[in-house]
Amino acid sequence: MDIHKCLINRVDIVHRIARLLMLAGMGKLPLYVIEKLKWDLGLPHDYVKTLLADYPDYFDVCSIEDPLSGKEMLALELVFWRKELSVSDLEKRAMSLDYCGDKRRHDIAFPMFFPKGFDLEKRVKTWVENWQKLPYISPYEDAFHLDLSSDLAEKWIVSILHELLCLLVSKKTERGNLLCMESVWGWTQDLRRLWFITLAYFTFPIRLGLRHCP
């Protein structure tokens, strides 16, 4: 049986694409970006016609301006915000531990794993521990009001990257696919710089021991 014909699998893929578009903030992404992530998302070959076309209440194909070239290009757009899907992987885990209300948000820390025998310097370990204690901001929230030079803004960016990787079937993707995201999200230069720094942590996980999705 074709796994893409299974209703459960189709709905799962649709929800993951919807959440990916919600991460984009503006609710739309160029089709070439979706194409880059096609296999990581578990999409069928001709996914626009064989899958997305069956969910007009979720998706629409529109034209947007390429932020780099200024030319028009096709994009996938989320028809409307899906509040029920705007719960991150880490928030779901926190809820499974019976956290509730605002306490759930503040108690969330990223899972961290270090190679056997690897120890952080004391000052670095202290910084990481304090960083983990900062309030968790959902990747689906608009946090552009934050001071982008702050540790809190960095934690928000990490939450976006963590959630993005959790949406992928393999929980990983080529670094180039992640690098292209910042150019289509309409971020400021400072936010793009923070994204690059965050990618460095995930590219070399030994630095912080960050693990996206176990």
Side-chain angles (χ1 to χ4, degrees), residues 100-124:
C100 60
D102 196 52
K103 182 178 184 298
R104 169 175 62 83
R105 296 170 53 80
H106 285 263
D107 283 354
I108 293 177
F110 291 96
M112 301 182 70
F113 302 87
F114 298 99
K116 186 177 181 180
F118 179 82
D119 292 315
L120 290 175
E121 294 181 13
K122 184 177 180 180
R123 63 182 181 83
V124 177

Side-chain angles (χ1 to χ4, degrees), residues 164-188:
L164 173 59
L165 293 174
C166 285
L167 294 179
L168 306 180
V169 175
S170 61
K171 311 305 179 189
K172 61 183 179 181
T173 189
E174 294 182 7
R175 191 167 185 266
N177 293 341
L178 299 175
L179 288 172
C180 81
M181 300 300 290
E182 54 82 25
S183 64
V184 298
W185 276 347
W187 285 352
T188 63

